[in-house]
Amino acid sequence: MAGETKYSDLGLVNTKEMFKKAMDGGYAIPAYNFNNMEQLQAIIIACVESKSPVILQVSSGARKYANQTLLKYMALGAVEMMKEMGGNIPIALHLDHGDTYELCKSCIDTGFSSVMIDGSHHSFEDNMALAKKVVEYAHPRDITVEAELGVLAGIEDDVSSEVTHYTKPEEVEEFVEKTGVDSLAISIGTSHGAYKFKVVGPGEEAPPLRFDILEEVERRIPGFPIVLHGASSVVPEYVDTINANGGKIENAVGVSEDQLRRAARSAVCKINIDSDGRLAVTAVIRKIMAENPAEFDPRKYLGPAREELIKMIKYKNENVLGSANRV
Ligand code: G3H
Ligand code: 13P
Ligand code: ZN
């Protein structure tokens, strides 16, 4: 498998068919981020068991962490494992938040079936030009492309502003038409990480997402697949377990399941989840470490962490995104 690798040779699919079915069926495809073997195993096992299509999502940091060559074989192995389990779920391998044309090209050349070019921090014109360039490389190879309009705030992030730059619905038609992208991430009030909303006291509700913006986007580009980033619920049980076992995660609040269910019924065809997986793994490991100070076999804490991740993913597919039993 030297030189360029075509995603179909790895048994992967792009997101086109997945999104069409999700749009027609009123549910969202889960995009779970992973960095290591246990996370990948958990995603595959949970999605096979819940009969859900899935997008395996890799950030540029994750690609560096895992090693790009190993990653290709991990994806191939994931597909083979899925088949051995008797599953037949569609699996896409997607670059999350690609920031340059070169990175997108490199991922395409090494077996990814889908890429995100995130030019959301550029001007509208530069964002469009960059997305168009990626599409021109991707589409002849049958790779799907996601772009982003609007900027998600991260209140823990000292680089970007604390203010969300909501997507301007009046920009979406021109962007989609001129770039030819296959899906569009929009900013309607979510943000990345565990600290999504500024809350003052315990039990305080997070502000609702801007469904009015989503609806206006849907009106302007009917039937076009929309992507929701920053969609972890920041599961309170995990945060509590972490804090009860020596961790320190304060005032962390995520997107409510009801808001996610509403989004999944709309033109939102892809929902991105990373932080909840990180919290699940950390909660289990912290608890085991605290309760078993003599334990030093990684399988004894990574194994249970993987089990918790499987449980969490199945729950989300079945009860939140609605992607379970769709294949
Ligand atoms: O949206 C970002 C993802 O959660 C990936 O995060 O760059 O730390 O891998 P990362
Ligand atoms: P969370 O941090 O809410 O899990 O969002 C992940 C994400 O959007 C990855 O692109
Ligand atoms: Zn994201």
Side-chain angles (χ1 to χ4, degrees):
M1 219 179 274
E4 287 184 22
T5 303
K6 176 95 182 111
Y7 69 81
S8 46
D9 292 340
L10 303 176
L12 301 164
V13 298
N14 69 24
T15 57
K16 199 161 275 170
E17 194 61 24
M18 287 184 184
F19 287 170
K20 196 187 168 312
K21 288 184 176 160
M23 182 73 77
D24 294 346
Y27 61 95
I29 308 289
Y32 295 111
N33 288 69
F34 77 99
N35 300 268
N36 65 21
M37 183 186 75
E38 284 80 3
Q39 287 172 308
L40 180 57
Q41 289 172 318
I43 297 167
I44 297 297
I45 293 168
C47 291
V48 168
E49 288 182 355
S50 58
K51 295 190 174 60
S52 169
V54 67
I55 297 171
L56 302 173
Q57 192 154 263
V58 178
S59 69
S60 66
R63 191 168 182 246
K64 282 197 200 94
Y65 180 84
N67 178 282
Q68 66 177 66
T69 304
L70 180 55
L71 191 61
K72 178 168 77 181
Y73 292 99
M74 285 171 82
L76 177 69
V79 171
E80 290 302 312
M81 181 177 122
M82 177 271 289
K83 289 182 193 159
E84 277 173 23
M85 290 177 69
N88 64 344
I89 60 168
I91 302 177
L93 181 65
H94 174 80
L95 169 67
D96 193 23
H97 294 284
D99 57 346
T100 62
Y101 168 80
E102 289 72 23
L103 175 60
C104 291
K105 180 180 181 303
S106 170
C107 287
I108 290 169
D109 292 346
T110 53
F112 281 63
S113 61
S114 179
V115 292
M116 176 188 192
I117 177 67
D118 183 354
S120 61
H121 289 81
H122 297 304
S123 68
F124 180 67
E125 292 298 330
D126 290 352
N127 188 0
M128 265 203 306
L130 185 57
K132 188 167 189 289
K133 194 173 168 193
V134 172
V135 167
E136 280 165 2
Y137 188 76
H139 278 185
R141 292 162 179 81
D142 217 18
I143 310 284
T144 37
V145 180
E146 173 185 333
E148 180 167 326
L149 262 183
V151 182
L152 273 68
I155 62 171
E156 83 285 11
D157 186 342
D158 55 13
V159 180
S160 69
S161 77
E162 288 198 5
V163 186
T164 298
H165 298 277
Y166 294 111
T167 302
K168 296 180 186 146
E170 62 275 19
E171 289 183 345
V172 297
E173 290 128 303
E174 185 184 355
F175 189 92
V176 163
E177 198 175 300
K178 288 197 175 156
T179 59
V181 294
D182 303 281
S183 60
L184 189 65
I186 62 169
S187 173
I188 56 168
T190 62
S191 63
H192 292 110
Y195 306 96
K196 297 192 188 303
F197 306 102
K198 242 180 198 153
V199 286
V200 182
E204 193 172 328
E205 293 258 326
L209 301 182
R210 291 287 305 271
F211 281 98
D212 57 320
I213 296 177
L214 174 60
E215 279 159 19
E216 182 58 15
V217 167
E218 286 181 287
R219 200 186 63 75
R220 286 169 180 267
I221 45 172
F224 192 82
I226 301 300
V227 179
L228 191 63
H229 283 247
S232 280
S233 296
V234 187
V235 180
E237 294 77 28
Y238 296 147
V239 174
D240 292 347
T241 302
I242 290 170
N243 289 336
N245 289 281
K248 197 169 193 293
I249 295 180
E250 286 165 348
N251 295 329
V253 175
V255 185
S256 78
E257 290 180 359
D258 276 349
Q259 300 256 301
L260 293 172
R261 282 187 198 103
R262 182 171 168 190
R265 284 195 299 270
S266 76
V268 169
C269 289
K270 171 175 179 270
I271 289 189
N272 286 9
I273 296 158
D274 187 357
S275 296
D276 278 343
R278 297 179 183 201
L279 290 168
V281 166
T282 304
V284 171
I285 293 177
R286 274 202 176 275
K287 188 161 189 294
I288 292 176
M289 292 282 190
E291 289 173 358
N292 306 276
E295 187 56 70
F296 67 99
D297 179 348
R299 293 171 298 185
K300 296 285 167 40
Y301 47 87
L302 295 180
R306 183 176 62 197
E307 284 308 310
E308 187 58 44
L309 206 45
I310 293 171
K311 231 168 73 188
M312 184 201 87
I313 291 171
K314 284 171 78 168
Y315 176 83
K316 285 185 185 288
N317 294 349
E318 286 161 8
N319 301 298
V320 185
L321 280 74
S323 63
N325 298 309
R326 300 289 182 170
V327 283

Short mmCIF file of all heavy atoms in Angstrom, two decimals, residues 5 44 50 61 66 91 193 229-230 260 289:
data_model
loop_
_atom_site.label_atom_id
_atom_site.label_comp_id
_atom_site.label_asym_id
_atom_site.label_seq_id
_atom_site.Cartn_x
_atom_site.Cartn_y
_atom_site.Cartn_z
N THR A 5 -3.17 6.29 -1.17
CA THR A 5 -4.13 5.26 -0.76
C THR A 5 -5.53 5.78 -1.01
O THR A 5 -5.89 6.88 -0.57
CB THR A 5 -3.98 4.96 0.75
OG1 THR A 5 -2.64 4.56 0.98
CG2 THR A 5 -4.92 3.86 1.18
N ILE A 44 -16.16 1.64 17.20
CA ILE A 44 -16.60 0.59 16.27
C ILE A 44 -17.57 -0.38 16.98
O ILE A 44 -18.65 -0.68 16.46
CB ILE A 44 -15.39 -0.18 15.69
CG1 ILE A 44 -14.51 0.77 14.87
CG2 ILE A 44 -15.84 -1.38 14.85
CD1 ILE A 44 -15.18 1.37 13.64
N SER A 50 -25.08 -0.84 17.95
CA SER A 50 -26.30 -0.02 17.83
C SER A 50 -26.71 0.16 16.37
O SER A 50 -27.62 0.95 16.08
CB SER A 50 -26.13 1.32 18.55
OG SER A 50 -25.02 2.03 18.04
N GLY A 61 -3.94 17.25 15.31
CA GLY A 61 -3.18 16.84 16.50
C GLY A 61 -3.27 15.34 16.73
O GLY A 61 -2.29 14.68 17.08
N ALA A 66 -1.12 9.86 16.64
CA ALA A 66 -1.26 8.43 16.31
C ALA A 66 -0.23 7.96 15.29
O ALA A 66 0.06 6.77 15.21
CB ALA A 66 -2.67 8.14 15.79
N ILE A 91 -18.60 3.33 7.32
CA ILE A 91 -17.60 4.03 8.15
C ILE A 91 -16.84 5.03 7.28
O ILE A 91 -16.27 4.66 6.25
CB ILE A 91 -16.59 3.03 8.76
CG1 ILE A 91 -17.31 1.98 9.61
CG2 ILE A 91 -15.53 3.76 9.59
CD1 ILE A 91 -16.39 0.89 10.19
N GLY A 193 -14.86 22.02 23.71
CA GLY A 193 -14.33 21.79 25.05
C GLY A 193 -15.40 21.61 26.11
O GLY A 193 -16.60 21.47 25.81
N HIS A 229 -20.71 21.47 15.40
CA HIS A 229 -19.50 21.22 16.20
C HIS A 229 -19.79 21.57 17.66
O HIS A 229 -20.80 22.20 17.98
CB HIS A 229 -18.35 22.11 15.70
CG HIS A 229 -17.72 21.63 14.44
ND1 HIS A 229 -16.43 21.16 14.39
CD2 HIS A 229 -18.22 21.49 13.18
CE1 HIS A 229 -16.15 20.79 13.16
NE2 HIS A 229 -17.22 20.98 12.40
N GLY A 230 -18.86 21.17 18.53
CA GLY A 230 -18.98 21.55 19.93
C GLY A 230 -20.24 20.99 20.57
O GLY A 230 -20.89 21.67 21.38
N LEU A 260 -29.86 18.87 21.35
CA LEU A 260 -29.22 18.03 20.33
C LEU A 260 -30.25 17.22 19.56
O LEU A 260 -30.13 17.05 18.34
CB LEU A 260 -28.19 17.10 20.99
CG LEU A 260 -26.97 17.82 21.59
CD1 LEU A 260 -26.12 16.85 22.39
CD2 LEU A 260 -26.12 18.49 20.50
N MET A 289 -7.74 4.56 39.50
CA MET A 289 -6.43 4.94 40.08
C MET A 289 -6.57 5.26 41.58
O MET A 289 -5.74 4.86 42.39
CB MET A 289 -5.87 6.18 39.38
CG MET A 289 -5.48 5.96 37.96
SD MET A 289 -3.91 5.12 37.89
CE MET A 289 -3.56 5.24 36.16
#
